[in-house]
Amino acid sequence: MSATYNFCAGPAMLPQVVMQKAQSELLDWNGLGTSVMEISHRSKEFIALTEQAEVDLRELMSIPSNYHLLFMHGGGRGQFSAVVNNFLGDKGKALYLVSGSWSKAAVEEAVKLTSKDQIESINIVKNDNGINTVVIPELSGKGDEYRYLHYCPNETVDGIEIFDDIDSPWPIIADMSSNIMSREIDVSKFGLIYAGAQKNIGPSGLSIVIVRDDMLTLPSLPQSSIMDYRLAVKHGSMYNTPPTFAWYLAAEVFTWLKSVGGVSGMAKVNLDKAKLLYDFIDSSDFYSNAVAVQNRSVMNVTFYLKDETLNAEFVSQAKTAGLVALKGHRSVGGMRASIYNAMPIEGVEKLVEFMKGFADKSAT
């Protein structure tokens, strides 16, 4: 392993074995004498790569056959608008659950593209004495007026994760950009799942869309062709040139994930990493976390120093120790350790060791 552990929320670290393989193949991929970035996306070699990537991702996530799997442009934010444009024609309505910064951003984008009465949002985070808790309202009595319900199961900025299934009478759309493949989920409970690649899949510039076939019968709004899910299905995610290098790296990540026990195996490691860090935070009077235990993110651990005047020094000393990108998001402050699939438990162990040492020195 590198001496540096990268806790960036995204673009995040990639598995070292994947990066090493990409490095070795950079100038000569698949014996072609050229980089994968330089060949046609319609060549038989690249098509074989994409077909295997789909097979692997379907296996990893147990994606049913009545779901289309798309590799698209635009990242997570691109899907904010694509979801609206693909499903809210004929003045359709949608309900958005707001649990943090990213679900709020999805609402703001949706409102831009529709009339105000088409989008309803509900803030589902309750703050009691500085502790944030998710409270999901009763939804079954609202009738059938919405085309879909949108929510973000994991908020990277706020360190909030929703583990419970949402009982919705309408199709559920989930932004899983920051927790896709971190634990097992039942894909059949969702109308659509989307995820920007730069957390658990690969580099930025690619997004994954998993869409149930009946969703594509909903009326759409006018939109750009490259964000049209129906055209993406028809053209095998190649209506125009896709982000080929990102697709290649994603395929390598899928192969790696299968080699380390798949999603179920990774989920156990992720829980161990998160428990190690949260247990230390809870045992310390120098650090604190502001999220209810049942809603603490497994992927993004946010925490605060008792003396926030030491924040800059904490970040500086951590960097010297080979622990980078720990500064919290500017909107919430504090610290944030993003421990996605590629982060080995050794990185978390080193972080806890550093945090303990920093607290001990600061107390003297």
Side-chain angles (χ1 to χ4, degrees):
M1 277 297 299
S2 165
T4 298
Y5 292 100
N6 178 11
F7 293 91
C8 186
M13 69 179 296
L14 289 163
Q16 185 143 352
V17 294
V18 170
M19 296 295 283
Q20 289 170 338
K21 188 169 189 288
Q23 181 184 46
S24 70
E25 296 180 339
L26 189 62
L27 299 179
D28 183 5
W29 176 70
N30 214 25
L32 297 177
T34 62
S35 169
V36 70
M37 290 183 282
E38 300 171 306
I39 66 170
S40 169
H41 57 294
R42 300 191 187 282
S43 66
K44 64 181 177 62
E45 293 85 1
F46 193 78
I47 293 297
L49 180 156
T50 65
E51 290 175 345
Q52 187 60 52
E54 175 163 350
V55 168
D56 288 344
L57 185 53
R58 284 187 177 276
E59 178 183 334
L60 285 164
M61 294 186 65
S62 300
I63 300 173
S65 60
N66 62 324
Y67 284 74
H68 301 283
L69 178 54
L70 308 175
F71 293 76
M72 300 189 71
H73 300 268
R77 282 192 184 271
Q79 303 313 314
F80 291 171
S81 57
V83 162
V84 172
N85 288 333
N86 274 278
F87 304 134
L88 289 188
D90 292 346
K91 298 186 182 297
K93 294 183 179 181
L95 178 63
Y96 282 69
L97 303 183
V98 177
S99 54
S101 299
W102 286 109
S103 49
K104 180 182 178 184
V107 172
E108 291 170 350
E109 188 71 11
V111 170
K112 286 181 187 177
L113 300 169
T114 60
S115 61
K116 290 184 179 180
D117 62 347
Q118 288 181 263
I119 304 298
E120 181 181 343
S121 63
I122 301 174
N123 190 327
I124 60 172
V125 174
K126 180 181 179 182
N127 187 290
D128 276 337
N129 298 317
I131 300 298
N132 293 314
T133 305
V134 173
V135 180
I136 298 173
E138 174 61 43
L139 299 170
S140 60
K142 280 185 170 285
D144 58 359
E145 59 184 315
Y146 302 111
R147 296 273 172 83
Y148 62 81
L149 176 147
H150 178 284
Y151 83 116
C152 180
N154 187 71
E155 293 279 4
T156 61
V157 171
D158 310 86
I160 292 172
E161 188 162 4
I162 300 170
F163 298 95
D164 295 333
D165 290 337
I166 293 179
D167 184 14
S168 168
W170 323 285
I172 297 174
I173 293 180
D175 173 3
M176 292 192 181
S177 295
S178 55
N179 70 340
I180 192 168
M181 295 188 295
S182 66
R183 56 184 170 92
E184 292 181 292
I185 62 162
D186 183 351
V187 173
S188 69
K189 293 183 177 180
F190 299 87
L192 183 144
I193 294 168
Y194 66 86
Q198 65 273 18
K199 321 281 190 180
N200 273 338
I201 298 170
S204 58
L206 176 73
S207 56
I208 300 296
V209 176
I210 305 167
V211 57
R212 199 171 61 214
D213 52 16
D214 66 302
M215 295 293 291
L216 301 179
T217 65
L218 293 172
S220 62
L221 294 168
Q223 63 176 314
S224 61
S225 295
I226 64 168
M227 299 305 285
D228 187 327
Y229 295 147
R230 296 157 189 82
L231 274 178
V233 169
K234 181 179 178 181
H235 293 275
S237 300
M238 292 189 185
Y239 180 74
N240 70 329
T241 306
T244 54
F245 192 64
W247 204 333
Y248 154 78
L249 281 173
E252 292 296 337
V253 170
F254 301 155
T255 299
W256 166 77
L257 190 52
K258 288 175 64 178
S259 75
V260 295
V263 174
S264 61
M266 185 55 61
K268 295 175 184 176
V269 176
N270 287 335
L271 287 175
D272 288 343
K273 290 186 296 186
K275 184 177 188 303
L276 177 64
L277 187 47
Y278 282 121
D279 281 354
F280 172 72
I281 292 169
D282 290 341
S283 70
S284 168
D285 59 4
F286 189 83
Y287 303 99
S288 63
N289 173 269
V291 181
V293 171
Q294 68 270 22
N295 298 126
R296 287 176 170 179
S297 171
V298 173
M299 295 284 94
N300 308 97
V301 179
T302 55
F303 59 95
Y304 297 88
L305 278 62
K306 183 177 181 180
D307 182 357
E308 293 202 345
T309 65
L310 296 173
N311 282 359
E313 187 62 24
F314 179 94
V315 171
S316 175
Q317 290 190 25
K319 184 177 180 181
T320 300
L323 306 165
V324 300
L326 285 165
K327 184 179 180 180
H329 192 274
R330 61 187 177 277
S331 65
V332 297
M335 303 296 155
R336 172 176 56 178
S338 293
I339 51 176
Y340 300 118
N341 287 353
M343 174 61 69
I345 196 163
E346 291 81 8
V348 180
E349 290 170 344
K350 187 173 180 180
L351 174 59
V352 168
E353 180 184 359
F354 167 79
M355 290 171 66
K356 184 178 186 304
F358 186 88
D360 290 343
K361 291 176 187 176
S362 300
T364 58

